[in-house]
Amino acid sequence: MRTILAAVDQSRHAHDVMSRAAELAVLLRNDLVVLSVVSSDPMKQFSIVEEQNRFASFHRELIFKHFPENSLAVEPHGGNGGVYRYGTAGVRVQSRILSGNVVDKICDCAEEVNADIVLVGSRGLGNIGSLVLGSVSERVVHKSARSVLVVKGERLDGEDWQGLSSAQKSGASRV
Ligand SMILES: Nc1ncnc2c1ncn2[C@@H]1O[C@H](COP(=O)(O)OP(=O)(O)O)[C@@H](O)[C@H]1O
Ligand SMILES: [Mg+2]
């Protein structure tokens, strides 16, 4: 069975990543691992467990939102998060919450689950609007030996798409 790894933070971009990951998992009948990493920043140590719990419920929300609700049955799972099964298509959805260096853990997890593709959002919780890529997504693209898909979410439709067609039109008029 092939595996898709979807790395999500708690930003709205997580929904773009999850939406694309669910679509691919069902279409390709792949397993899906949803991963979040609680940063090991020593300043944050005291709230690691709280943060893990927040991620666990966020994963649950994401998974139930992006897969048809009545087709998921929750299975007990030893560590943090849970293992969910999707319908009769046999897609297994697993939630993982790790702590440590965010980029390292995403790359390590991709190796561990032998991910065929790693999905990350183009941006996350960070607020530097001028950057095209967030630093986590950029570093995962550089560091991971796996294929990485940077999900751009809502930029796919709307203005950017119209911009693309007008660029094509002007390109065509030059020929
Ligand atoms: N703690 C995390 N755990 C898992 N994935 C993460 C985490 N932080 C960021 N990512 C992934 O990287 C993407 C881009 O986030 P990031 O590079 O942090 O951008 P920003 O600088 O805008 O926060 C996110 O959409 C998510 O896919
Ligand atoms: Mg971030």
Side-chain angles (χ1 to χ4, degrees):
M1 179 56 90
R2 295 161 75 90
T3 302
I4 295 168
L5 176 63
V8 294
D9 59 9
Q10 292 180 67
S11 68
R12 63 186 169 83
H13 300 272
H15 288 279
D16 297 326
V17 172
M18 194 57 199
S19 154
R20 188 49 55 97
E23 182 189 344
L24 288 175
V26 171
L27 191 69
L28 304 170
R29 305 247 169 129
N30 283 7
D31 283 351
L32 171 61
V33 176
V34 183
L35 169 69
S36 292
V37 184
V38 179
S39 168
S40 56
D41 181 346
M43 298 296 287
K44 294 181 180 168
Q45 282 295 341
F46 66 96
S47 65
I48 277 186
V49 174
E50 254 174 57
E51 194 67 7
Q52 283 172 338
N53 290 338
R54 264 198 294 274
F55 268 127
S57 38
F58 184 61
H59 279 199
R60 211 186 141 82
E61 185 194 312
L62 272 180
I63 289 165
F64 279 90
K65 181 173 173 191
H66 292 279
F67 285 94
E69 202 175 335
N70 55 9
S71 63
L72 284 167
V74 181
E75 294 179 0
H77 181 59
N80 286 305
V83 179
Y84 305 82
R85 263 186 211 286
Y86 173 66
T88 50
V91 177
R92 280 158 41 92
V93 185
Q94 188 182 129
S95 152
R96 287 197 183 204
I97 295 127
L98 304 173
S99 61
N101 177 280
V102 177
V103 173
D104 291 348
K105 290 290 173 179
I106 294 173
C107 297
D108 291 352
C109 183
E111 296 307 311
E112 192 193 325
V113 303
N114 195 22
D116 294 286
I117 191 162
V118 179
L119 269 63
V120 290
S122 55
R123 297 301 315 274
L125 279 171
N127 237 345
I128 313 163
S130 60
L131 290 180
V132 177
L133 274 189
S135 65
V136 171
S137 35
E138 184 174 350
R139 283 181 288 153
V140 170
V141 169
H142 280 282
K143 186 172 179 183
S144 180
R146 307 276 158 170
S147 298
V148 180
L149 175 62
V150 179
V151 178
K152 293 212 172 176
E154 62 205 43
R155 283 168 162 270
L156 278 177
D157 22 61
E159 284 175 18
D160 276 6
W161 178 249
Q162 281 158 20
L164 187 63
S165 18
S166 58
Q168 281 170 338
K169 273 183 223 144
S170 68
S173 67
R174 278 202 301 271
V175 175

